[in-house]
């Protein structure tokens, strides 16, 4: 089938941002090695030691201005131009997909650029220099300003936009996963869900992830090299037939 006749859903993980210089979580030297999940990525950690959690996220928020999208991000924004329908889900909390030109990105685990009011639950973009200091930041939505938390889905919290995600996967033709170890649910289970609806499933990953057996087609290597080549091949094949 031609690309312009395909409904494509893509799920990305930390691996697609690795070549931009953002650390992944579970590779050697990954984020969780230095900062155990229980200490920085659970609601209990935030209650127990908010300064440690806040420092962990502020340093990652500050790093956003030091990195750029890589060829893998740009390959996906090119694919989005050719597909009949293109829906991008990311587990990543960085903004590299947006900065590579993809307009609608579904961040199922939240976003570093946003902070969330602990009282109202409202999220606001807070990336001015003063927002990135080590002090806690306070909301603009409450009469008495309340402390803001990272607008991130921590372990034990419900991922965002799941209804839309399941609906899009159920009705798509191709489900592509890029740069994810298949550790974290429900994200890692989305390929299983896709298989129930006879969706063609494709994996691009540096190493074999936990759920690689679920995929119809697998490509192992760096996404920055594989994705641009694959996308160009798909576009050429489409123009030939
Ligand atoms: C929830 C925010 C329920 C933090 C993150 C079964 C069903 C449902 C839940 C569970 C379940 N079993 C267990 C659970 C609980 C838990 C879970 O999955 N635990 C795991 C560890 C066992 N899940 C949850 O708690 C989720 N919540 O289920 O809630 C609920 C329902 C209703 C109401 C209330 C609650 C929430 C999970 C979200 C947690 N937050 N992130 C932050 O980012 O600071 S998860 C964290 O892991 C990151 O978001 C990350 O994206 C995600 C997945 O990691 P990956 O992206 O895959 O990254 P990783 O480093 O692991 O792998 C990188 C891969 O890239 C590697 O394979 C590597 O080879 C590859 N790679 C490297 N370089 C390259 C490359 N590939 C290509 N090119 C390269 N250059």
């Amino acid at each position: 089938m031609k690309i312009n006749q395909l409904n494509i859903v893509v799920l990305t993980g930390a691996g697609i941002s690795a070549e931009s210089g953002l650390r992944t979580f579970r590779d050697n030297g990954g984020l969780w090695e230095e900062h155990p999940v229980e200490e920085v990525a659970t609601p209990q950690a935030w209650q127990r030691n908010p300064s440690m959690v806040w420092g962990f996220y502020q340093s990652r928020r500050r790093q956003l201005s030091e990195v750029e999208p890589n060829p893998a991000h740009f390959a996906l924004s090119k694919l989005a131009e050719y597909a009949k329908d293109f829906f991008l889900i990311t587990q990543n909390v960085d903004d590299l997909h947006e900065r590579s030109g993809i307009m609608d990105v579904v961040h199922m685990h939240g976003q570093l650029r946003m902070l969330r009011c602990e009282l109202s639950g409202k999220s606001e973009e807070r990336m001015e220099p003063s927002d990135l200091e080590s002090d806690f930041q306070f909301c603009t939505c409450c009469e008495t300003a309340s402390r803001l938390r990272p607008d991130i889905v921590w372990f034990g919290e419900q991922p965002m936009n799941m209804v839309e995600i399941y609906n899009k996967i159920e009705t798509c033709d191709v489900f592509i996963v890029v740069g994810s170890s298949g550790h974290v649910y429900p994200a890692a289970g989305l390929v299983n869900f896709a298989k129930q609806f006879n969706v063609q499933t494709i994996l691009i990953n540096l190493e074999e992830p936990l759920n690689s057996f679920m995929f119809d087609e697998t490509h192992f290597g760096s996404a920055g090299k594989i994705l641009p080549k694959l996308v160009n091949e798909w576009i050429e094949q489409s123009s030939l037939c």
Side-chain angles (χ1 to χ4, degrees):
M1 227 195 308
K2 290 188 165 196
I3 278 196
N4 61 4
Q5 295 165 333
L6 292 177
N7 299 322
I8 299 176
V9 174
V10 178
L11 169 69
T12 60
I16 199 168
S17 297
E19 290 162 81
S20 295
L22 288 178
R23 289 163 72 181
T24 61
F25 293 89
R26 297 171 184 83
D27 293 323
N28 292 338
L31 273 169
W32 293 156
E33 231 171 72
E34 198 180 322
H35 306 275
V37 167
E38 304 70 34
E39 283 178 19
V40 292
T42 64
Q44 294 75 16
W46 175 245
Q47 297 307 324
R48 189 173 55 243
N49 190 342
S51 306
M52 177 188 279
V53 175
W54 184 248
F56 174 64
Y57 283 96
Q58 284 298 71
S59 68
R60 289 170 71 196
R61 281 162 36 86
R62 285 191 285 267
Q63 194 189 12
L64 288 181
S65 62
E66 297 157 15
V67 294
E68 298 293 331
N70 68 61
H73 294 105
F74 289 113
L76 288 184
S77 52
K78 184 172 181 181
L79 181 60
E81 285 166 34
Y82 285 83
K84 179 179 165 200
D85 185 67
F86 184 86
F87 186 75
L88 177 66
I89 310 157
T90 187
Q91 299 172 86
N92 300 340
V93 292
D94 63 58
D95 59 353
L96 294 175
H97 284 304
E98 290 85 348
R99 289 166 55 195
S100 70
I102 296 188
M103 304 312 286
D104 301 318
V105 181
V106 172
H107 286 270
M108 65 183 293
H109 291 162
Q111 299 182 64
L112 288 171
R113 297 189 66 85
M114 309 293 283
L115 296 177
R116 189 190 315 166
C117 174
E118 286 199 279
L119 199 61
S120 72
K122 283 191 191 133
S123 304
E124 48 185 284
E125 171 144 346
R126 293 285 290 267
M127 285 300 285
E128 295 304 317
S130 57
D131 298 324
L132 300 173
E133 286 163 11
S134 47
D135 305 339
F136 288 120
Q137 298 296 318
F138 292 84
C139 79
T140 55
C141 57
C142 301
E143 219 162 289
T144 316
S146 311
R147 188 177 65 176
L148 292 166
R149 59 162 274 184
D151 195 17
I152 297 290
V153 176
W154 285 324
F155 287 93
E157 294 184 324
Q158 185 168 5
M160 300 176 178
N161 303 87
M162 289 311 295
V163 172
E164 187 186 16
I165 286 171
Y166 285 122
N167 287 342
K168 278 291 189 179
I169 293 176
E170 198 174 321
T171 54
C172 78
D173 303 299
V174 185
F175 178 59
I176 305 170
V177 177
V178 187
S180 187
S181 63
H183 267 88
V184 174
Y185 286 82
L190 293 178
V191 59
N192 307 53
F193 182 75
K195 299 293 289 177
Q196 292 172 36
F197 300 95
N198 292 323
V199 173
Q200 166 79 4
T201 53
I202 302 172
L203 171 74
I204 293 128
N205 212 60
L206 189 65
E207 291 150 3
E208 198 161 352
L210 295 181
N211 58 356
S212 64
F213 62 92
M214 286 304 299
F215 291 89
D216 302 315
E217 188 182 318
T218 53
H219 303 266
F220 294 120
S222 70
K225 292 193 180 59
I226 292 176
L227 252 182
K229 195 162 154 287
L230 262 185
V231 169
N232 287 334
E233 274 170 21
W234 291 337
I235 292 169
E236 264 158 51
Q237 283 161 11
S238 294
S239 56
L240 295 177
C241 56

